[in-house]
Amino acid sequence: MANKPHESNTALKPEAAKPKLPPMFKVLLLNDDYTPMEFVVEVIEHFFNKSREQATQIMLKVHTEGAGVCGVYPQDIAETKMNQVVSHARKSQHPLQCIIEMA
């Protein structure tokens, strides 16, 4: 004897089916008295794909306020960008500091 298929009430609700977004992290550059402003602008342009004008605005924020946000990314991307910036700065013999913090 064949069993009749029965309806199930286990379907996911639409809001439960959406994947949770990963936590986001800000990548910040910190001011120092030694790294040239032009180098900071070039770093922002290269590693964060900002225009010259955007990079200059971020650099001025770093210079005047002590720190500036270059971008907001998922944790793994933020850590990679931070490490790339610090590595590039060291190779260029600049003490530029780059950190991440939760957005």
Side-chain angles (χ1 to χ4, degrees):
M1 185 154 131
N3 290 336
K4 289 171 63 176
H6 59 285
E7 290 185 34
S8 174
N9 291 331
T10 59
L12 293 177
K13 294 178 183 174
E15 64 272 7
K18 292 181 183 174
K20 187 176 177 185
L21 294 174
M24 301 298 278
F25 287 78
K26 296 185 279 189
V27 181
L28 298 108
L29 292 181
L30 305 180
N31 190 42
D32 65 71
D33 294 331
Y34 305 101
T35 305
M37 292 182 189
E38 183 60 32
F39 180 80
V40 175
V41 170
E42 290 170 4
V43 163
I44 296 167
E45 286 178 312
H46 179 76
F47 293 102
F48 300 97
N49 297 316
K50 302 293 185 187
S51 69
R52 173 66 65 158
E53 185 176 325
Q54 291 171 315
T56 301
Q57 291 300 316
I58 295 168
M59 177 277 295
L60 289 172
K61 190 168 183 87
V62 171
H63 183 68
T64 60
E65 298 179 21
V69 177
C70 296
V72 180
Y73 307 94
Q75 184 175 5
D76 57 340
I77 295 172
E79 287 176 351
T80 298
K81 288 194 176 285
M82 174 186 70
N83 292 330
Q84 288 173 330
V85 167
V86 171
S87 176
H88 178 67
R90 296 306 166 268
K91 286 178 188 170
S92 301
Q93 299 182 334
H94 294 298
L96 182 63
Q97 292 292 311
C98 184
I99 62 169
I100 64 171
E101 63 181 40
M102 284 202 81

PDB file of all heavy atoms in Angstrom, residues 7 20 23 42 72 82 90 100 103:
ATOM      1  N   GLU A   7       2.025  17.075   3.466  1.00  0.00           N
ATOM      2  CA  GLU A   7       2.637  18.393   3.421  1.00  0.00           C
ATOM      3  C   GLU A   7       3.494  18.602   4.660  1.00  0.00           C
ATOM      4  O   GLU A   7       3.156  18.173   5.747  1.00  0.00           O
ATOM      5  CB  GLU A   7       1.557  19.479   3.339  1.00  0.00           C
ATOM      6  CG  GLU A   7       0.848  19.500   2.008  1.00  0.00           C
ATOM      7  CD  GLU A   7      -0.123  20.671   1.925  1.00  0.00           C
ATOM      8  OE1 GLU A   7       0.180  21.729   2.490  1.00  0.00           O
ATOM      9  OE2 GLU A   7      -1.164  20.487   1.297  1.00  0.00           O
ATOM     10  N   LYS A  20      23.651  35.497   6.354  1.00  0.00           N
ATOM     11  CA  LYS A  20      24.042  36.596   7.218  1.00  0.00           C
ATOM     12  C   LYS A  20      25.297  37.251   6.639  1.00  0.00           C
ATOM     13  O   LYS A  20      26.238  36.565   6.250  1.00  0.00           O
ATOM     14  CB  LYS A  20      24.318  36.070   8.630  1.00  0.00           C
ATOM     15  CG  LYS A  20      24.570  37.154   9.635  1.00  0.00           C
ATOM     16  CD  LYS A  20      24.745  36.571  11.018  1.00  0.00           C
ATOM     17  CE  LYS A  20      25.071  37.683  12.006  1.00  0.00           C
ATOM     18  NZ  LYS A  20      25.355  37.150  13.331  1.00  0.00           N
ATOM     19  N   PRO A  23      30.808  40.281   9.388  1.00  0.00           N
ATOM     20  CA  PRO A  23      31.101  41.538  10.080  1.00  0.00           C
ATOM     21  C   PRO A  23      32.075  42.363   9.239  1.00  0.00           C
ATOM     22  O   PRO A  23      32.955  41.817   8.570  1.00  0.00           O
ATOM     23  CB  PRO A  23      31.724  41.100  11.400  1.00  0.00           C
ATOM     24  CG  PRO A  23      32.139  39.690  11.207  1.00  0.00           C
ATOM     25  CD  PRO A  23      31.274  39.125  10.129  1.00  0.00           C
ATOM     26  N   GLU A  42      49.759  57.980  -2.465  1.00  0.00           N
ATOM     27  CA  GLU A  42      50.012  56.894  -3.416  1.00  0.00           C
ATOM     28  C   GLU A  42      49.558  55.544  -2.861  1.00  0.00           C
ATOM     29  O   GLU A  42      48.995  54.721  -3.593  1.00  0.00           O
ATOM     30  CB  GLU A  42      51.497  56.853  -3.775  1.00  0.00           C
ATOM     31  CG  GLU A  42      51.929  58.030  -4.629  1.00  0.00           C
ATOM     32  CD  GLU A  42      53.438  58.134  -4.801  1.00  0.00           C
ATOM     33  OE1 GLU A  42      54.181  57.247  -4.318  1.00  0.00           O
ATOM     34  OE2 GLU A  42      53.877  59.117  -5.416  1.00  0.00           O
ATOM     35  N   VAL A  72      36.014  50.025   4.039  1.00  0.00           N
ATOM     36  CA  VAL A  72      35.339  49.103   4.955  1.00  0.00           C
ATOM     37  C   VAL A  72      35.131  47.794   4.210  1.00  0.00           C
ATOM     38  O   VAL A  72      34.559  47.779   3.112  1.00  0.00           O
ATOM     39  CB  VAL A  72      33.994  49.680   5.446  1.00  0.00           C
ATOM     40  CG1 VAL A  72      33.304  48.714   6.399  1.00  0.00           C
ATOM     41  CG2 VAL A  72      34.201  51.039   6.109  1.00  0.00           C
ATOM     42  N   MET A  82      45.507  45.621   5.139  1.00  0.00           N
ATOM     43  CA  MET A  82      46.360  46.149   6.201  1.00  0.00           C
ATOM     44  C   MET A  82      47.783  45.600   6.058  1.00  0.00           C
ATOM     45  O   MET A  82      48.758  46.357   6.100  1.00  0.00           O
ATOM     46  CB  MET A  82      45.792  45.774   7.573  1.00  0.00           C
ATOM     47  CG  MET A  82      46.678  46.153   8.748  1.00  0.00           C
ATOM     48  SD  MET A  82      46.047  45.542  10.331  1.00  0.00           S
ATOM     49  CE  MET A  82      46.311  43.772  10.139  1.00  0.00           C
ATOM     50  N   ARG A  90      57.119  49.325   4.808  1.00  0.00           N
ATOM     51  CA  ARG A  90      58.416  48.878   5.347  1.00  0.00           C
ATOM     52  C   ARG A  90      59.446  48.733   4.236  1.00  0.00           C
ATOM     53  O   ARG A  90      60.593  49.124   4.391  1.00  0.00           O
ATOM     54  CB  ARG A  90      58.279  47.559   6.103  1.00  0.00           C
ATOM     55  CG  ARG A  90      57.414  47.600   7.341  1.00  0.00           C
ATOM     56  CD  ARG A  90      57.825  48.690   8.350  1.00  0.00           C
ATOM     57  NE  ARG A  90      56.794  48.911   9.336  1.00  0.00           N
ATOM     58  CZ  ARG A  90      55.826  49.815   9.230  1.00  0.00           C
ATOM     59  NH1 ARG A  90      55.717  50.584   8.173  1.00  0.00           N
ATOM     60  NH2 ARG A  90      54.944  49.969  10.177  1.00  0.00           N
ATOM     61  N   ILE A 100      43.083  47.807  11.596  1.00  0.00           N
ATOM     62  CA  ILE A 100      41.664  47.567  11.304  1.00  0.00           C
ATOM     63  C   ILE A 100      40.902  47.597  12.621  1.00  0.00           C
ATOM     64  O   ILE A 100      41.446  47.302  13.691  1.00  0.00           O
ATOM     65  CB  ILE A 100      41.410  46.237  10.552  1.00  0.00           C
ATOM     66  CG1 ILE A 100      41.802  45.028  11.391  1.00  0.00           C
ATOM     67  CG2 ILE A 100      42.117  46.234   9.222  1.00  0.00           C
ATOM     68  CD1 ILE A 100      41.371  43.699  10.783  1.00  0.00           C
ATOM     69  N   ALA A 103      33.640  47.897  12.157  1.00  0.00           N
ATOM     70  CA  ALA A 103      32.873  49.057  11.647  1.00  0.00           C
ATOM     71  C   ALA A 103      31.616  49.265  12.475  1.00  0.00           C
ATOM     72  O   ALA A 103      31.131  48.377  13.119  1.00  0.00           O
ATOM     73  CB  ALA A 103      32.512  48.829  10.197  1.00  0.00           C
TER      74      ALA A 103
END
